[in-house]
Amino acid sequence: GENVEQHPSTLSVQEGDSAVIKCTYSDSASNYFPWYKQELGKRPQLIIDIRSNVGEKKDQRIAVTLNKTAKHFSLHITETQPEDSAVYFCAASIRTGTASKLTFGTGTRLQVTL
Amino acid sequence: DTGVSQNPRHKITKRGQNVTFRCDPISEHNRLYWYRQTLGQGPEFLTYFQNEAQLEKSRLLSDRFSAERPKGSFSTLEIQRTEQGDSAMYLCASSKTGVNTIYFGEGSWLTVV
């Protein structure tokens, strides 16, 4: 089955700096890669996603890049703010006719300091 | 709130007892998923429904676990003879056919003492 690895496990940046979180996946058939943000005790919330036919996607301060050849994808957050502090999870899925279950990474705890 | 709804939000039970969690997906979402999340880990897939049909089950779903979605709307996840290792947050999620985006509920925290 799919295996997703995520690094780093913790990341501390100063407000205004950029943060980068990296993930690798094992199954070349994976074609959908979402990123979720989870605050303490809250639900995972989708912040951005990318499909395998796209190399990069941007939404305001958040961007995701995908390298299918190397089987890795990254989350970039620019101009970080204290409210960006949370745990971020990458995920991968193989979209089939009936299922699109997600395999998650182990998470990155992002701390944005003042 | 038209999001995915789960209850109870918290459950403390003694080892050996049975527990049941309920999930109400976003209306018109025909796909429903159950995931389990332990502290410091990402959610792990447990099982998945397309309408009322349970189409896939993870190896994590032992014989003590059973999930149903009898009318293709809400779903229940029952854990029989709970063990301390079952302590986790059980997340329900839903999506529409043909759409990748999966929306999660707030989760049901289970503590087995």
Side-chain angles (χ1 to χ4, degrees):
Chain A
E2 176 65 277
N3 181 51
V4 176
E5 294 190 354
Q6 183 172 348
H7 301 281
S9 57
T10 60
L11 180 60
S12 182
V13 299
Q14 285 197 322
E15 183 180 8
D17 288 349
S18 296
V20 180
I21 302 170
K22 298 182 179 182
C23 289
T24 61
Y25 61 99
S26 61
D27 195 329
S28 56
S30 289
N31 55 14
Y32 174 64
F33 308 92
W35 286 87
Y36 284 82
K37 175 183 179 182
Q38 188 174 32
E39 297 176 13
L40 190 63
K42 301 288 188 180
R43 73 182 79 193
Q45 289 193 304
L46 179 73
I47 56 172
I48 196 167
D49 58 12
I50 192 167
R51 289 161 177 75
S52 58
N53 59 347
V54 176
E56 184 174 355
K57 183 177 178 180
K58 190 173 181 180
D59 182 4
Q60 299 183 337
R61 297 186 297 109
I62 295 173
V64 58
T65 59
L66 170 65
N67 184 327
K68 284 193 65 179
T69 303
K71 289 190 283 188
H72 68 70
F73 55 113
S74 300
L75 177 71
H76 304 253
I77 306 174
T78 59
E79 300 172 23
T80 53
Q81 301 168 4
E83 51 265 39
D84 294 330
S85 296
V87 179
Y88 291 81
F89 292 98
C90 62
S93 77
I94 302 169
R95 173 78 189 286
T96 67
T98 57
S100 59
K101 69 177 185 182
L102 297 172
T103 300
F104 284 84
T106 51
T108 296
R109 181 172 298 280
L110 174 64
Q111 181 71 43
V112 180
T113 57
L114 296 174
Chain B
D1 187 344
T2 57
V4 179
S5 176
Q6 293 187 244
N7 65 83
R9 293 291 319 281
H10 299 89
K11 179 73 175 179
I12 301 173
T13 191
K14 291 183 178 179
R15 189 173 49 189
Q17 298 294 305
N18 300 343
V19 296
T20 299
F21 299 113
R22 175 179 169 127
C23 172
D24 288 89
I26 295 171
S27 67
E28 297 180 356
H29 279 195
N30 56 346
R31 294 182 179 174
L32 187 147
Y33 310 80
W34 285 99
Y35 285 79
R36 182 173 69 187
Q37 186 176 23
T38 54
L39 284 175
Q41 298 296 317
E44 296 173 293
F45 172 80
L46 292 179
T47 190
Y48 150 76
F49 291 85
Q50 172 94 9
N51 299 314
E52 66 276 9
Q54 187 173 19
L55 296 184
E56 191 168 350
K57 291 167 62 173
S58 163
R59 289 172 299 172
L60 294 174
L61 216 64
S62 75
D63 291 345
R64 296 183 298 103
F65 288 70
S66 63
E68 295 182 344
R69 194 182 183 197
K71 297 182 180 179
S73 58
F74 73 91
S75 174
T76 58
L77 177 68
E78 181 184 18
I79 309 173
Q80 296 182 325
R81 304 181 303 282
T82 53
E83 301 173 355
Q84 285 189 322
D86 298 331
S87 295
M89 180 164 67
Y90 292 85
L91 286 160
C92 178
S94 69
S95 69
K96 272 185 178 180
T97 302
V99 178
N100 285 112
T101 307
I102 295 176
Y103 296 91
F104 284 89
E106 294 283 4
S108 292
W109 285 95
L110 173 64
T111 302
V112 181
V113 297

